[in-house]
Amino acid sequence: MKEKIIVFDTTLRDGEQAPGASLNVQEKVEVAKQLIRLNVDVIEAGFPVSSQAQFYAVQRIADLNESAIIAGLARTVDGDIKAANDSLKNSKRFRIHTFAGTSDIHILGKFTSNRYGKSLDDKRKTILKMSCDAVAYAKTFTDDVEFSAEDAGRTDIGYLIDIIEAVIAAGATTVNIPDT
């Protein structure tokens, strides 16, 4: 079996999380061109639903139509996934990358409403279902769907295994297990 390392670059998304590191559309496009020149395999271009500028930047990068896979980030929300697809659909190759907070800290901090459940166990079940539903919805647009278990390093290992197995069964082709 021939092995290949796939380089996944998040400079245009996570790189902007550093204070003062905001890029305008043209700067994002220029960085993307250089990443393509460097033969980066997957470029996470941004979070399209977060603003018109982000949507347009992802769309412009997707329109480069180069060999790299262009990814757009989306929460486990239909509108996010649709926006990612709409910004990426002209790319030769694209990926929708959806994520959910899975650690108890993230669950109790981000999913406080009782609509997600009253207990931690109920909230976990809801997030697992939301994650699977998001992957399945993203699969209606592309075969290349990534799921991230946000804050996986602090996620209960049994729950992490359950959610990873479930999203793979739902169709995730790439699973990311980030520390935050």
Side-chain angles (χ1 to χ4, degrees), residues 12-13 16 22-33 43-65 70-72 83-84 86-88 91:
L12 298 174
R13 217 309 284 174
E16 283 199 308
S22 182
L23 301 172
N24 66 36
V25 172
Q26 188 54 39
E27 290 167 332
K28 287 186 101 166
V29 170
E30 288 304 315
V31 170
K33 286 178 181 177
I43 299 168
E44 188 162 79
F47 191 12
V49 80
S50 65
S51 72
Q52 257 324 101
Q54 281 287 316
F55 182 94
Y56 183 60
V58 173
Q59 188 175 49
R60 292 265 320 273
I61 293 165
D63 288 345
L64 294 174
N65 241 357
I70 308 300
D86 291 348
S87 67
L88 293 165
S91 182

Side-chain angles (χ1 to χ4, degrees), residues 6-178:
I6 296 174
V7 177
F8 178 79
D9 187 279
T10 62
T11 302
L12 298 174
R13 217 309 284 174
D14 288 337
E16 283 199 308
Q17 299 301 301
S22 182
L23 301 172
N24 66 36
V25 172
Q26 188 54 39
E27 290 167 332
K28 287 186 101 166
V29 170
E30 288 304 315
V31 170
K33 286 178 181 177
Q34 294 307 312
L35 293 170
I36 290 166
R37 229 175 117 224
L38 290 168
N39 293 316
V40 169
D41 299 294
V42 183
I43 299 168
E44 188 162 79
F47 191 12
V49 80
S50 65
S51 72
Q52 257 324 101
Q54 281 287 316
F55 182 94
Y56 183 60
V58 173
Q59 188 175 49
R60 292 265 320 273
I61 293 165
D63 288 345
L64 294 174
N65 241 357
E66 298 289 338
S67 58
I69 297 167
I70 308 300
L73 190 65
R75 295 169 297 186
T76 55
V77 176
D78 286 357
D80 284 28
I81 294 164
K82 176 91 168 69
N85 177 68
D86 291 348
S87 67
L88 293 165
K89 65 185 176 186
N90 292 330
S91 182
K92 189 179 349 179
R93 298 169 64 203
F94 71 91
R95 170 182 295 175
I96 296 175
H97 179 186
T98 189
F99 70 96
T102 56
S103 69
D104 293 353
I105 292 168
H106 279 238
I107 292 170
L108 296 173
K110 293 181 177 188
F111 301 95
T112 57
S113 171
N114 283 343
R115 70 185 168 131
Y116 299 108
K118 291 184 180 179
S119 69
L120 177 61
D121 189 52
D122 289 343
K123 290 177 188 295
R124 284 180 175 173
K125 289 175 185 170
T126 300
I127 292 161
L128 188 139
K129 182 180 181 335
M130 289 170 55
S131 299
C132 292
D133 289 349
V135 167
Y137 183 52
K139 288 291 276 194
T140 68
F141 299 113
T142 179
D143 287 333
D144 193 346
V145 177
E146 179 172 352
F147 176 81
S148 286
E150 187 182 18
D151 200 26
R154 293 187 289 186
T155 299
D156 173 83
I157 192 69
Y159 181 61
L160 182 62
I161 291 167
D162 290 345
I163 202 162
I164 296 304
E165 287 177 342
V167 296
I168 289 170
T173 52
T174 300
V175 174
N176 184 7
I177 304 173

